[in-house]
mmCIF file with all atom_site columns, all heavy atoms in Angstrom:
data_model
loop_
_atom_site.group_PDB
_atom_site.id
_atom_site.type_symbol
_atom_site.label_atom_id
_atom_site.label_alt_id
_atom_site.label_comp_id
_atom_site.label_asym_id
_atom_site.label_entity_id
_atom_site.label_seq_id
_atom_site.pdbx_PDB_ins_code
_atom_site.Cartn_x
_atom_site.Cartn_y
_atom_site.Cartn_z
_atom_site.occupancy
_atom_site.B_iso_or_equiv
_atom_site.pdbx_formal_charge
_atom_site.auth_seq_id
_atom_site.auth_comp_id
_atom_site.auth_asym_id
_atom_site.auth_atom_id
_atom_site.pdbx_PDB_model_num
ATOM 1  N N   . HIS A 1 60  ? 5.386  6.296  -14.740 1.00 0.00 ? 60  HIS A N   1
ATOM 2  C CA  . HIS A 1 60  ? 6.874  6.325  -14.868 1.00 0.00 ? 60  HIS A CA  1
ATOM 3  C C   . HIS A 1 60  ? 7.531  6.536  -13.518 1.00 0.00 ? 60  HIS A C   1
ATOM 4  O O   . HIS A 1 60  ? 8.423  5.855  -13.098 1.00 0.00 ? 60  HIS A O   1
ATOM 5  C CB  . HIS A 1 60  ? 7.296  7.372  -15.856 1.00 0.00 ? 60  HIS A CB  1
ATOM 6  C CG  . HIS A 1 60  ? 6.928  7.114  -17.325 1.00 0.00 ? 60  HIS A CG  1
ATOM 7  N ND1 . HIS A 1 60  ? 6.849  8.071  -18.253 1.00 0.00 ? 60  HIS A ND1 1
ATOM 8  C CD2 . HIS A 1 60  ? 6.557  5.994  -17.935 1.00 0.00 ? 60  HIS A CD2 1
ATOM 9  C CE1 . HIS A 1 60  ? 6.498  7.683  -19.383 1.00 0.00 ? 60  HIS A CE1 1
ATOM 10 N NE2 . HIS A 1 60  ? 6.263  6.354  -19.254 1.00 0.00 ? 60  HIS A NE2 1
ATOM 11 N N   . ALA A 1 198 ? 0.024  1.879  -17.867 1.00 0.00 ? 198 ALA A N   1
ATOM 12 C CA  . ALA A 1 198 ? 0.805  1.845  -19.176 1.00 0.00 ? 198 ALA A CA  1
ATOM 13 C C   . ALA A 1 198 ? 2.180  2.591  -18.927 1.00 0.00 ? 198 ALA A C   1
ATOM 14 O O   . ALA A 1 198 ? 3.205  2.117  -19.470 1.00 0.00 ? 198 ALA A O   1
ATOM 15 C CB  . ALA A 1 198 ? 0.032  2.539  -20.252 1.00 0.00 ? 198 ALA A CB  1
ATOM 16 N N   . GLY A 1 199 ? 2.146  3.664  -18.232 1.00 0.00 ? 199 GLY A N   1
ATOM 17 C CA  . GLY A 1 199 ? 3.431  4.366  -17.914 1.00 0.00 ? 199 GLY A CA  1
ATOM 18 C C   . GLY A 1 199 ? 4.326  3.469  -17.084 1.00 0.00 ? 199 GLY A C   1
ATOM 19 O O   . GLY A 1 199 ? 5.560  3.432  -17.335 1.00 0.00 ? 199 GLY A O   1
ATOM 20 N N   . TYR A 1 200 ? 3.779  2.803  -16.144 1.00 0.00 ? 200 TYR A N   1
ATOM 21 C CA  . TYR A 1 200 ? 4.582  1.896  -15.312 1.00 0.00 ? 200 TYR A CA  1
ATOM 22 C C   . TYR A 1 200 ? 5.185  0.807  -16.137 1.00 0.00 ? 200 TYR A C   1
ATOM 23 O O   . TYR A 1 200 ? 6.365  0.521  -16.007 1.00 0.00 ? 200 TYR A O   1
ATOM 24 C CB  . TYR A 1 200 ? 3.677  1.288  -14.183 1.00 0.00 ? 200 TYR A CB  1
ATOM 25 C CG  . TYR A 1 200 ? 4.422  0.630  -13.043 1.00 0.00 ? 200 TYR A CG  1
ATOM 26 C CD1 . TYR A 1 200 ? 4.679  1.311  -11.851 1.00 0.00 ? 200 TYR A CD1 1
ATOM 27 C CD2 . TYR A 1 200 ? 5.065  -0.632 -13.241 1.00 0.00 ? 200 TYR A CD2 1
ATOM 28 C CE1 . TYR A 1 200 ? 5.389  0.729  -10.944 1.00 0.00 ? 200 TYR A CE1 1
ATOM 29 C CE2 . TYR A 1 200 ? 5.843  -1.234 -12.257 1.00 0.00 ? 200 TYR A CE2 1
ATOM 30 C CZ  . TYR A 1 200 ? 5.998  -0.501 -11.011 1.00 0.00 ? 200 TYR A CZ  1
ATOM 31 O OH  . TYR A 1 200 ? 6.689  -1.083 -10.047 1.00 0.00 ? 200 TYR A OH  1
ATOM 32 N N   . GLN A 1 201 ? 4.391  0.227  -16.959 1.00 0.00 ? 201 GLN A N   1
ATOM 33 C CA  . GLN A 1 201 ? 4.864  -0.929 -17.786 1.00 0.00 ? 201 GLN A CA  1
ATOM 34 C C   . GLN A 1 201 ? 5.969  -0.460 -18.770 1.00 0.00 ? 201 GLN A C   1
ATOM 35 O O   . GLN A 1 201 ? 6.829  -1.220 -19.077 1.00 0.00 ? 201 GLN A O   1
ATOM 36 C CB  . GLN A 1 201 ? 3.686  -1.540 -18.558 1.00 0.00 ? 201 GLN A CB  1
ATOM 37 C CG  . GLN A 1 201 ? 2.754  -2.303 -17.719 1.00 0.00 ? 201 GLN A CG  1
ATOM 38 C CD  . GLN A 1 201 ? 3.223  -3.758 -17.491 1.00 0.00 ? 201 GLN A CD  1
ATOM 39 O OE1 . GLN A 1 201 ? 4.356  -3.988 -16.954 1.00 0.00 ? 201 GLN A OE1 1
ATOM 40 N NE2 . GLN A 1 201 ? 2.466  -4.717 -17.872 1.00 0.00 ? 201 GLN A NE2 1
ATOM 41 N N   . GLU A 1 202 ? 5.822  0.728  -19.319 1.00 0.00 ? 202 GLU A N   1
ATOM 42 C CA  . GLU A 1 202 ? 6.860  1.306  -20.137 1.00 0.00 ? 202 GLU A CA  1
ATOM 43 C C   . GLU A 1 202 ? 8.227  1.397  -19.455 1.00 0.00 ? 202 GLU A C   1
ATOM 44 O O   . GLU A 1 202 ? 9.297  1.102  -19.939 1.00 0.00 ? 202 GLU A O   1
ATOM 45 C CB  . GLU A 1 202 ? 6.465  2.707  -20.650 1.00 0.00 ? 202 GLU A CB  1
ATOM 46 C CG  . GLU A 1 202 ? 5.452  2.728  -21.773 1.00 0.00 ? 202 GLU A CG  1
ATOM 47 C CD  . GLU A 1 202 ? 5.083  4.135  -22.170 1.00 0.00 ? 202 GLU A CD  1
ATOM 48 O OE1 . GLU A 1 202 ? 5.737  5.063  -21.681 1.00 0.00 ? 202 GLU A OE1 1
ATOM 49 O OE2 . GLU A 1 202 ? 4.114  4.358  -23.021 1.00 0.00 ? 202 GLU A OE2 1
ATOM 50 N N   . ALA A 1 203 ? 8.156  1.836  -18.190 1.00 0.00 ? 203 ALA A N   1
ATOM 51 C CA  . ALA A 1 203 ? 9.357  2.125  -17.413 1.00 0.00 ? 203 ALA A CA  1
ATOM 52 C C   . ALA A 1 203 ? 9.918  0.836  -16.773 1.00 0.00 ? 203 ALA A C   1
ATOM 53 O O   . ALA A 1 203 ? 11.122 0.640  -16.683 1.00 0.00 ? 203 ALA A O   1
ATOM 54 C CB  . ALA A 1 203 ? 9.079  3.109  -16.294 1.00 0.00 ? 203 ALA A CB  1
ATOM 55 N N   . ALA A 1 204 ? 9.104  -0.074 -16.310 1.00 0.00 ? 204 ALA A N   1
ATOM 56 C CA  . ALA A 1 204 ? 9.495  -1.236 -15.553 1.00 0.00 ? 204 ALA A CA  1
ATOM 57 C C   . ALA A 1 204 ? 8.457  -2.388 -15.700 1.00 0.00 ? 204 ALA A C   1
ATOM 58 O O   . ALA A 1 204 ? 7.613  -2.494 -14.853 1.00 0.00 ? 204 ALA A O   1
ATOM 59 C CB  . ALA A 1 204 ? 9.704  -0.963 -14.083 1.00 0.00 ? 204 ALA A CB  1
#
Side-chain angles (χ1 to χ4, degrees):
H60 293 159
Y200 194 102
Q201 289 278 54
E202 285 179 4

